[in-house]
């Protein structure tokens, strides 16, 4: 059945001054609708835009649209980072698992949701494709849902179906999704991946993101057996392990033999793999990132990154000092879920130094840095210099452990500062 389409310019006429507008996530960012919305700027004011990480151009954060659009980001991506850091946009610290509840409970009611879907099937159902995450809650609660309909959007299984009767306007599109092909890996990243793989057991359930360290870890898991995936997102490396027979999901307690996630980012290879593939099911983030669900699976290996980590185990993953860089995301959800999983391993992995040669393991976090994962939650920490497990260690023991995996140029300084802060004092209070 052919459903009526209208132009993007007509569709966004539903947006009014003072509205709150949701944008779909990452590779599903509805670029055509965003462009049309910004094209209406002269007739709008005080429009709040809310989103997780988005891809492509984000013209609504440009200074010339001050007073017209204002971004309130649940996760800060590269395209809006400068605007947030300059105060031209806002960032909200929030767990990814908690975002849907703000929509459902009218803490943040939505006027319009701009989304990107697959063409309707013969029953009139579109798919939210590679981004179900918080989008499912948005389309179920927004007063108006405007959908960019694109044959390049994979039709995914799970809970991402949306009937055309729930959509206010359909806009035709025929644009390839943004792609994120794997990049060459450095020696340090390869070593980190090998270290992580050495503590992942056969039959484990994986959570990982996108980037060099997840890619390096997946590349090092080729000889493992019967791994499963329960992850907020995944990329191309998972496809390779499925094709090699490494990922089977055989021992998963929930969604046995099924890969589950809430959003996807990768190359066309990934998008083709998940299209109408019953092996992969997409669910909202308040389910995927629910600690109660994560812990049900065996040996959950949750692999997460950090911008810096102090010598006691405090993890900063969203800011560089006071400057917002990304967001809280799902790190704490999975770190805690893995810790509670039978045989689970919560892992923080990071190169020992920055691109500028500064240590990522520091005596104290930079002033203003946010603590995403507390030192009470952190267990395994991995750099290219090895693995330590902080669980059960006191402050003095943690300092020694963290210094052992820091870059050699910084180990002495970490130990010295650790002794000053946590060693025996010559004068102690009575």
């Amino acid at each position: 059945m052919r459903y009526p389409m209208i132009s993007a310019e007509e569709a966004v006429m539903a947006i009014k001054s003072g509205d709150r507008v949701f944008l779909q996530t990452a590779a599903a960012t509805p670029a055509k609708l965003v462009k049309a919305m910004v094209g209406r700027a002269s007739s709008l004011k005080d429009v709040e835009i809310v989103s997780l990480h988005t891809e492509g151009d984000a013209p609504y954060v440009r200074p010339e649209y001050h007073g017209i659009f204002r971004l309130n980001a649940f996760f800060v991506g590269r395209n809006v980072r400068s605007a947030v850091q300059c105060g031209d946009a806002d960032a909200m610290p929030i767990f990814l698992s908690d975002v849907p509840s703000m929509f459902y409970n009218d803490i943040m009611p939505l006027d319009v949701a701009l989304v990107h879907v697959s063409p309707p099937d013969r029953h009139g159902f579109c798919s939210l494709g590679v981004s179900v995450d918080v989008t499912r809650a948005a389309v179920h609660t927004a007063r108006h849902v405007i959908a960019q309909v694109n044959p390049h959007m994979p039709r995914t299984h799970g809970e991402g179906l949306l009937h055309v009767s729930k959509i206010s306007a359909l806009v035709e599109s025929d644009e390839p999704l943004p792609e994120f092909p794997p990049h060459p890996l450095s020696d340090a990243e390869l070593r980190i991946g090998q270290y992580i793989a050495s503590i992942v057991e056969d039959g484990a359930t994986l959570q990982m993101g996108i980037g060099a360290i997840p890619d390096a870890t997946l590349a090092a898991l080729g000889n493992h057996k019967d791994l499963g995936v329960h992850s907020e997102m995944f990329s191309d490396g998972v496809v390779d392990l499925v094709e090699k027979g490494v990922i089977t999901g055989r021992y998963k307690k929930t969604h046995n033999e099924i890969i589950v996630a809430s959003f996807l980012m990768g190359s066309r290879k990934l998008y083709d793999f998940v299209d109408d593939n019953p092996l992969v099911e997409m669910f909202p983030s308040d389910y995927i990132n629910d600690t109660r669900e994560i812990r049900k699976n065996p040996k959950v290996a949750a692999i997460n990154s950090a911008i810096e980590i102090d010598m006691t185990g405090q993890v900063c993953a969203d800011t560089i000092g006071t400057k917002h860089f990304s967001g809280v995301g799902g790190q704490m959800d999975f770190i805690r879920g893995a810790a509670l999983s039978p045989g689970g391993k919560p892992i923080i992995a990071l190169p020992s130094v920055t691109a500028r040669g500064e240590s990522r393991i520091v005596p104290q976090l930079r002033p203003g840095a946010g603590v995403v994962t507390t030192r009470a939650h952190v267990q395994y920490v991995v750099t290219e210099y090895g693995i330590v497990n902080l669980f059960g260690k006191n402050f003095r023991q943690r300092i020694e452990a963290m210094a052992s995996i820091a870059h050699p140029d910084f180990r002495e300084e970490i130990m010295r500062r650790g002794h000053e802060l946590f060693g025996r004092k010559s004068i102690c209070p009575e």
Side-chain angles (χ1 to χ4, degrees):
M1 180 177 178
R2 178 73 178 174
Y3 293 91
M5 302 277 179
I6 63 174
S7 71
E9 290 72 24
E10 290 176 278
V12 299
M13 292 298 290
I15 301 172
K16 308 299 183 186
S17 293
D19 277 356
R20 178 179 288 121
V21 179
F22 170 83
L23 303 182
Q24 198 172 352
T25 308
T29 303
K32 188 171 185 176
L33 298 178
V34 169
K35 183 179 179 180
M37 176 184 67
V38 174
R40 286 200 58 218
S42 61
S43 61
L44 295 170
K45 64 177 181 179
D46 298 327
V47 173
E48 181 185 3
I49 296 171
V50 296
S51 68
L52 291 171
H53 161 74
T54 60
E55 276 299 317
D57 193 17
Y60 43 85
V61 299
R62 293 174 187 164
E64 59 261 39
Y65 298 117
H66 180 75
I68 300 172
F69 303 112
R70 180 82 181 186
L71 173 66
N72 192 359
F74 309 134
F75 194 94
V76 178
R78 179 175 51 188
N79 57 351
V80 300
R81 190 169 293 139
S82 294
V84 171
Q85 292 176 355
C86 292
D88 290 328
D90 298 304
M92 179 185 295
I94 188 167
F95 295 128
L96 186 56
S97 56
D98 283 341
V99 175
S101 68
M102 293 196 300
F103 302 155
Y104 286 127
N105 296 326
D106 281 339
I107 296 167
M108 185 171 274
L110 299 175
D111 297 295
V112 180
L114 303 184
V115 298
H116 193 169
V117 301
S118 70
D121 65 13
R122 62 191 180 92
H123 303 292
F125 284 95
C126 302
S127 169
L128 295 172
V130 297
S131 165
V132 174
D133 45 68
V134 306
T135 304
R136 184 173 183 271
V139 298
H140 282 202
T141 59
R143 291 190 300 111
H144 300 284
V145 177
I146 303 172
Q148 178 175 318
V149 182
N150 188 354
H152 295 279
M153 177 62 74
R155 185 175 187 82
T156 54
H157 291 237
E159 294 188 0
L161 293 180
L162 178 64
H163 196 268
V164 290
S165 63
K166 305 294 185 183
I167 300 174
S168 307
L170 299 169
V171 175
E172 197 164 21
S173 173
D174 189 6
E175 303 166 358
L177 300 187
E179 294 191 39
F180 311 87
H183 293 291
L185 300 172
S186 69
D187 290 342
E189 291 158 351
L190 288 168
R191 286 198 297 274
I192 292 170
Q194 290 162 359
Y195 277 126
I196 295 172
S198 73
I199 60 172
V200 173
E201 300 177 54
D202 289 343
T205 303
L206 302 176
Q207 176 262 328
M208 79 300 291
I210 188 172
I213 289 175
D215 287 348
T217 302
L218 292 169
L221 290 171
N223 292 322
H224 280 61
K225 297 178 181 179
D226 294 317
L227 300 179
V229 176
H230 179 121
S231 184
E232 68 187 16
M233 65 88 61
F234 67 86
S235 192
D236 290 49
V238 165
V239 181
D240 296 333
L241 291 183
V242 171
E243 292 175 347
K244 291 177 181 177
V246 173
I247 290 177
T248 66
R250 178 181 175 186
Y251 294 105
K252 287 179 66 184
K253 297 300 182 183
T254 64
H255 306 283
N256 181 254
E257 299 186 353
I258 300 294
I259 296 168
V260 296
S262 68
F263 72 100
L264 307 169
M265 295 171 64
S267 71
R268 190 71 235 177
K269 176 182 178 180
L270 174 69
Y271 304 148
D272 289 342
F273 172 76
V274 302
D275 185 36
D276 198 26
N277 186 348
L279 180 65
V280 179
E281 294 184 356
M282 303 292 290
F283 291 91
S285 59
D286 52 354
Y287 173 79
I288 290 292
N289 287 54
D290 187 336
T291 301
R292 293 169 297 183
E293 296 300 322
I294 297 166
R295 69 183 296 183
K296 291 176 182 177
N297 286 306
K299 305 177 184 177
V300 173
I303 304 160
N304 287 269
S305 62
I307 291 173
E308 63 178 2
I309 180 170
D310 78 10
M311 58 189 177
T312 71
Q314 295 188 111
V315 174
C316 173
D318 64 339
T319 66
I320 300 174
T322 58
K323 293 184 176 181
H324 284 91
F325 186 82
S326 55
V328 172
Q331 181 172 121
M332 265 294 298
D333 298 325
F334 276 95
I335 288 293
R336 191 58 182 156
L340 297 171
S341 159
K345 292 184 172 71
I347 300 166
I348 299 292
L350 69 167
S352 65
V353 294
T354 68
R356 298 169 59 182
E358 299 169 334
S359 182
R360 290 183 182 266
I361 296 176
V362 294
Q364 293 177 298
L365 299 179
R366 302 180 194 215
V371 176
V372 167
T373 300
T374 76
R375 55 197 176 196
H377 290 96
V378 171
Q379 294 190 17
Y380 292 88
V381 183
V382 183
T383 74
E384 70 271 30
Y385 292 101
I387 307 169
V388 295
N389 186 356
L390 302 185
F391 187 69
K393 288 183 168 56
N394 61 35
F395 286 130
R396 288 185 298 104
Q397 293 167 332
R398 284 168 177 247
I399 291 161
E400 292 179 5
M402 293 298 287
S404 74
I405 59 169
H407 189 283
D409 291 349
F410 299 98
R411 292 176 186 173
E412 184 177 340
E413 170 68 6
I414 292 168
M415 290 297 295
R416 183 183 68 79
R417 291 287 290 132
H419 179 75
E420 290 175 358
L421 292 171
F422 297 101
R424 189 176 189 279
K425 309 297 189 292
S426 57
I427 299 177
C428 292
E430 295 293 335

